[in-house]
């Protein structure tokens, strides 16, 4: 059984990732604040090979630890019920944008010096959180992993658990990227908009040098 990719958020970023995953041969399930029937026209235009599911069922794909990529704007995170994500490997692909109003719990965590992913790990305690897929622009996400050239574009993966980082690193490889594993979830700050690698195409050795990460060898 090929492991499905589950995406929570069907905006430009979510549908771009859905196209990338479908092109890589992965089954794609996608959910948003709208019911599945209301998403059909939207998906037919922007992610025609994705299957719409209810948000509360996004982590129910029949595998032991579903991979769910969180692509909901940070200002809307209060709309995500933590119970929906229990038992999943949650890939935090969200970003903080200047001037964006944030939920109180997230703003408090950021003010205390924690990364957004650390705040999400506390907010969704039933999930294992990994930071990844946020530092490639949604304009490029569906094509960046298939760009021609001798070196694949690097993708950073940050987690406090080696097994979780390895699983998301494998996903990155399936999407056509060269995974670089960062040493901890907090290290994912380097992948955020004010970090040294955000929206910058680079090789795995270069991304590893800038983030303190480790290149995954083929």
């Amino acid at each position: 059984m090929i492991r499905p990719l589950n995406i929570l958020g069907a905006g430009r970023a979510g549908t771009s990732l859905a196209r990338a995953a479908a092109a890589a041969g992965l089954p794609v399930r996608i959910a948003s604040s709208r019911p599945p029937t209301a998403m059909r026209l939207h998906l037919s235009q922007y992610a025609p090979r994705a299957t719409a599911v209810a948000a509360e069922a996004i982590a129910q794909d029949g595998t032991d630890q579903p991979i769910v990529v969180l692509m909901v704007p940070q200002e809307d995170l209060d709309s995500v019920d933590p119970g929906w994500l229990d038992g999943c490997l949650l890939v935090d692909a969200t970003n903080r944008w200047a001037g964006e109003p944030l939920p109180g719990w997230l703003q408090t965590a950021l003010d205390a010096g924690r990364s957004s992913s650390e705040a999400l790990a506390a907010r969704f305690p039933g999930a294992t959180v990994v930071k990844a897929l946020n530092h490639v622009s949604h304009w490029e996400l569906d094509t960046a992993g298939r760009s021609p050239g001798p070196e694949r574009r690097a993708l950073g993966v940050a987690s406090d658990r080696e097994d979780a980082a390895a699983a998301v690193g494998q996903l990155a490889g399936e999407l056509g990227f060269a995974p670089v594993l960062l040493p901890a979830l907090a290290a994912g700050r380097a992948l955020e908009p004010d970090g040294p690698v955000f929206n910058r195409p680079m090789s795995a050795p270069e991304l590893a040098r800038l983030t303190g990460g480790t290149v995954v060898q083929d």
Side-chain angles (χ1 to χ4, degrees), residues 58-177:
I58 192 63
Q60 300 169 19
D61 68 3
T63 63
D64 290 338
Q65 189 179 42
I67 294 179
V68 177
V69 182
L70 183 64
M71 288 186 148
V72 174
Q74 289 189 354
E75 63 182 313
D76 295 330
L77 285 173
D78 275 343
S79 68
V80 180
D81 187 327
W84 297 347
L85 302 172
D86 283 349
C88 80
L89 200 167
L90 182 63
V91 181
D92 173 22
T94 69
N95 285 309
R96 179 188 185 189
W97 305 111
E100 180 182 18
L102 300 178
W105 56 268
L106 179 53
Q107 188 64 63
T108 297
L110 296 175
D111 291 344
R114 306 185 76 186
S115 70
S116 60
S117 295
E118 290 175 293
L120 286 176
R123 178 70 174 179
F124 304 111
T128 300
V129 176
V130 178
K131 186 70 172 181
L133 289 166
N134 70 301
H135 66 91
V136 179
S137 167
H138 66 265
W139 298 111
E140 301 178 280
L141 193 54
D142 58 341
T143 58
R146 295 181 281 119
S147 298
E151 289 188 321
R152 293 181 296 163
R153 181 165 174 172
L155 189 78
V157 178
S159 179
D160 289 333
R161 286 182 45 172
E162 290 184 6
D163 58 340
V168 177
Q170 180 178 339
L171 170 64
E174 291 171 348
L175 293 173
F177 294 97

Side-chain angles (χ1 to χ4, degrees), residues 7 10-20 22 28 30 34 39-50 138-139 142:
I7 302 169
R12 287 175 294 186
T15 53
S16 182
L17 178 60
R19 293 192 299 272
V28 182
I30 191 166
R34 292 177 289 174
M39 294 175 59
R40 287 176 181 167
L41 178 60
H42 177 71
L43 293 183
S44 70
Q45 294 177 303
Y46 299 107
R49 294 163 65 183
H138 66 265
W139 298 111
D142 58 341

